[in-house]
Amino acid sequence: MEIVPIPLLADNYGYLLIGPDSRRAAAVDCSEAGPVLAEIAHRGLALEAILSTHHHYDHVGGNEEVARAIPGLRVLGSRADRTRVPALTESLADGEELEVAGMRGRALFIPAHTSGHLAYFFPDDGPPSVFSGDTLFAAGCGRLFEGSPEQMMRSLSKLAALPDVTRVYCGHEYTEKNLRFARELEPENADIARKLERVQRLRAEGRPTVPSTIAEEKLTNPFLRWESPALRASLRRRFPDLADDPVAVFARTRELKDSY
Ligand SMILES: [Zn+2]
């Protein structure tokens, strides 16, 4: 399985998943039809399916147009978003398996950014890969539009429980700004400093910073580090009354990031 990031809109990523026969493909999060159809044509692929992570326009805006262009196209999304994902043909609940373009994967229900958000996990055909939409970003997490801090922590924990080597393909190129925020909270964290340097080099060359890995996220992502004594100490300097409780740590981190 080959994975090709497709930059869409201002800072979104869609992804092309090319199956083991190098001919059949699926797309994750198609906000615009044009660039996805162009990439398919350029590579001579047959697009069989779109996998939508959540209903926001900058993730599904191109579904209808691609479905019109390719008769028989499958559009997969969350069962909880049956009425919100355009052109949906198949809905999935937590843990349900899927097969697209010769690739087998599994849906993970990870609500909080939106109440129906899904990730797609592909364990085989190369290193395991997860498409995390706007829930887990490299060094960040999505805003809590339709969920609570506790719910987001459960969703992020589900992703963090995947194998450390899992490649993380997220929905936006926010990595550099996220890491600058992470460094402010944990200035002594060498993993964050090293990754920020690498990411700044990639961005200066105009290259994407995806994928990350679950192992890297555990070391550098403040939204997975609610147990970190350094992060807690740093938050306590800003919020002296901070309770010694993971939910409070997470919620305060999210609150700071909302205005960063
Ligand atoms: Zn979103």
Side-chain angles (χ1 to χ4, degrees):
M1 156 174 179
E2 188 191 347
I3 299 167
V4 181
I6 308 177
L8 299 170
L9 302 175
D11 52 26
N12 277 82
Y13 284 122
Y15 296 99
L16 214 53
L17 282 56
I18 306 173
D21 67 359
S22 306
R23 198 187 62 77
R24 302 158 66 197
V28 172
D29 280 358
C30 183
S31 54
E32 297 179 88
V36 173
L37 291 172
E39 193 68 37
I40 289 289
H42 170 70
R43 292 172 178 266
L45 298 167
L47 185 67
E48 294 190 357
I50 293 176
L51 312 179
S52 296
T53 60
H54 66 296
H55 75 285
H56 284 162
Y57 183 77
D58 62 326
H59 294 260
V60 299
N63 283 14
E64 300 273 14
E65 191 179 336
V66 176
R68 273 197 303 275
I70 304 175
L73 183 82
R74 298 164 61 195
V75 178
L76 286 70
S78 174
R79 189 147 308 154
D81 275 341
R82 260 187 315 239
T83 57
R84 300 202 291 187
V85 172
L88 190 81
T89 63
E90 295 164 52
S91 70
L92 296 165
D94 189 40
E96 280 193 67
E97 310 234 320
L98 59 127
E99 187 169 346
V100 287
M103 298 169 283
R104 294 167 64 85
R106 189 164 85 234
L108 302 173
F109 186 52
I110 48 167
H113 174 66
T114 65
S115 59
H117 201 300
L118 281 191
Y120 297 94
F121 178 58
F122 290 87
D124 311 318
D125 303 318
S129 305
V130 70
F131 297 87
S132 57
D134 286 359
T135 298
L136 177 64
F137 293 125
C141 82
R143 286 178 190 258
L144 305 178
F145 289 123
E146 299 179 356
S148 65
E150 291 92 328
Q151 194 178 33
M152 183 55 105
M153 290 169 78
R154 274 198 301 278
S155 293
L156 291 170
S157 298
K158 203 182 263 189
L159 296 172
L162 296 173
D164 273 349
V165 295
T166 304
R167 306 288 202 262
V168 179
Y169 293 89
C170 59
H172 287 268
E173 181 58 70
Y174 291 159
T175 315
E176 187 175 348
K177 190 176 180 196
N178 286 345
L179 283 167
R180 275 193 267 116
F181 174 73
R183 185 180 56 181
E184 280 192 22
L185 289 180
E186 287 189 79
E188 310 294 324
N189 182 322
D191 296 301
I192 291 174
R194 260 197 304 273
K195 182 150 184 185
L196 179 57
E197 221 171 87
R198 176 156 55 91
V199 158
Q200 281 170 331
R201 230 174 13 246
L202 286 170
R203 294 312 290 154
E205 293 165 8
R207 291 160 66 192
T209 64
V210 287
S212 178
T213 64
I214 291 295
E216 276 180 38
E217 291 314 304
K218 287 179 186 167
L219 294 171
T220 61
N221 191 323
F223 297 100
L224 293 175
R225 295 178 56 73
W226 52 76
E227 299 294 349
S228 153
L231 176 65
R232 287 184 171 206
S234 166
L235 285 169
R236 201 158 283 124
R237 279 192 291 277
R238 293 163 171 86
F239 306 102
D241 62 342
L242 182 73
D244 207 17
D245 155 49
V247 178
V249 171
F250 180 90
R252 286 301 198 184
T253 309
R254 187 59 259 176
E255 191 185 313
L256 284 176
K257 184 65 171 62
D258 282 345
S259 56
Y260 182 73

